[in-house]
């Protein structure tokens, strides 16, 4: 049994109330998450530079222990970051319903963060060449969300006013269109522009605890 086995619906903390339906569910692509949230490429470049310096020192002085240690640390560090990215993606489910967006996140302490569509002022989109992308959500008011509790599902550098972000979503352009259209349908007077050509994606697994964001 895992901590997710008691979920009545994968990715949600309870049974949906009458009239609420799931529009889309998805999880981050772990390889893209490793590169963008855990910065594996930057870490690889850093250790490559250290290894080059260690290699030059080893050739000059005939001492290769430092080079072996540097390379080993780099490989272990990159391996751990990839494992964390895989674990984070595996335990994350983003759920869009006709009334809210739910983030099921957390490896050590699973939780669900509930964002009613009426709280969402805008949906941004940052796509990548491989089809994945990030969907930062701008919320109305001052929701009580902590940056550390949200990370890595938080917009980078928005620490004082954390903004939830759906990270490394596959088929991101399609999902962004679907999210924008659903938000607009729920809040016709909002500022979210409708985008066409959206389609749903296959759901994945799910989580327990529940946290609801309220405007201050």
């Amino acid at each position: 049994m895992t901590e997710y086995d008691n979920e009545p619906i994968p990715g949600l903390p309870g049974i949906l109330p009458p009239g609420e339906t799931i529009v889309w569910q998805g999880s981050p692509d772990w390889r893209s998450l490793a590169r963008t949230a855990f910065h594996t490429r930057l870490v690889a470049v850093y250790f490559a530079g250290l290894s080059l310096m260690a290699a030059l020192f080893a050739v000059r002085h005939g001492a290769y222990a430092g080079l072996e240690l540097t390379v080993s640390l780099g490989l272990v560090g990159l391996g751990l970051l990839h494992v964390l990215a895989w674990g984070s993606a595996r335990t994350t489910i983003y759920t869009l319903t006709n009334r809210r967006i739910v983030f099921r996140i957390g490896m050590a302490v699973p939780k669900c963060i509930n964002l009613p569509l009426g709280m969402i002022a805008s949906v941004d989109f940052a796509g990548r060449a491989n089809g994945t992308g990030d969907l930062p959500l701008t919320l109305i008011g001052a929701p009580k969300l902590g940056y550390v509790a949200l990370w890595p599902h938080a917009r980078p550098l928005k620490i004082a006013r954390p903004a939830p972000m759906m990270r490394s979503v596959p088929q991101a352009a399609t999902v962004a269109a679907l999210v924008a259209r659903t938000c607009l349908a729920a809040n016709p007077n909002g500022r979210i522009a409708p985008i066409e050509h959206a389609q749903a994606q296959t759901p994945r697994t799910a989580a327990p605890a529940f946290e609801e964001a309220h405007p201050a």
Side-chain angles (χ1 to χ4, degrees):
M1 176 178 289
T2 70
E3 63 267 37
Y4 306 129
D5 288 342
N6 293 325
E7 288 181 329
I9 300 176
L12 295 173
I15 299 295
L16 291 175
E20 184 172 10
T21 58
I22 294 176
V23 178
W24 171 86
Q25 280 188 314
S27 299
D29 177 87
W30 75 268
R31 295 175 182 85
S32 177
L33 190 67
R35 292 191 297 270
T36 59
F38 292 86
H39 304 291
T40 51
R41 285 182 175 174
L42 183 61
V43 172
V45 169
Y46 173 76
F47 275 102
L50 289 181
S51 298
L52 178 60
M53 294 174 60
L56 294 175
F57 181 87
V59 169
R60 186 171 182 178
H61 299 280
Y64 291 89
L67 174 60
E68 294 173 357
L69 179 61
T70 302
V71 172
S72 297
L73 287 175
L75 292 175
V76 170
L78 284 172
L80 289 174
L81 289 176
H82 279 93
V83 168
L84 286 173
W86 175 83
S88 179
R90 186 174 180 273
T91 55
T92 295
I93 293 182
Y94 304 125
T95 301
L96 170 68
T97 77
N98 59 333
R99 294 181 180 175
R100 55 181 165 158
I101 295 176
V102 181
F103 283 46
R104 189 264 254 162
I105 59 176
M107 289 181 285
V109 183
K111 71 185 80 169
C112 285
I113 297 176
N114 181 61
L115 303 170
L117 297 184
M119 287 182 60
I120 299 174
S122 65
V123 180
D124 296 318
F125 168 63
R128 303 185 183 89
N130 63 358
T132 65
D134 300 331
L135 279 66
L137 307 176
T138 301
L139 305 181
I140 297 171
K144 298 175 182 178
L145 297 172
Y147 187 87
V148 174
L150 273 176
W151 192 90
H153 315 280
R155 193 167 191 166
L157 305 180
K158 296 284 185 178
I159 298 175
R161 184 182 170 85
M165 183 166 75
M166 300 163 70
R167 280 199 106 135
S168 299
V169 176
Q171 302 179 12
T174 294
V175 176
L178 185 58
V179 172
R181 205 163 61 228
T182 304
C183 288
L184 188 66
N187 185 22
N189 296 322
R191 294 179 292 151
I192 300 174
I195 311 173
E196 296 304 322
H197 309 301
Q199 63 186 32
Q201 189 173 322
T202 306
R204 286 178 56 181
T205 19
F210 182 82
E211 225 174 79
E212 183 167 1
H214 298 279

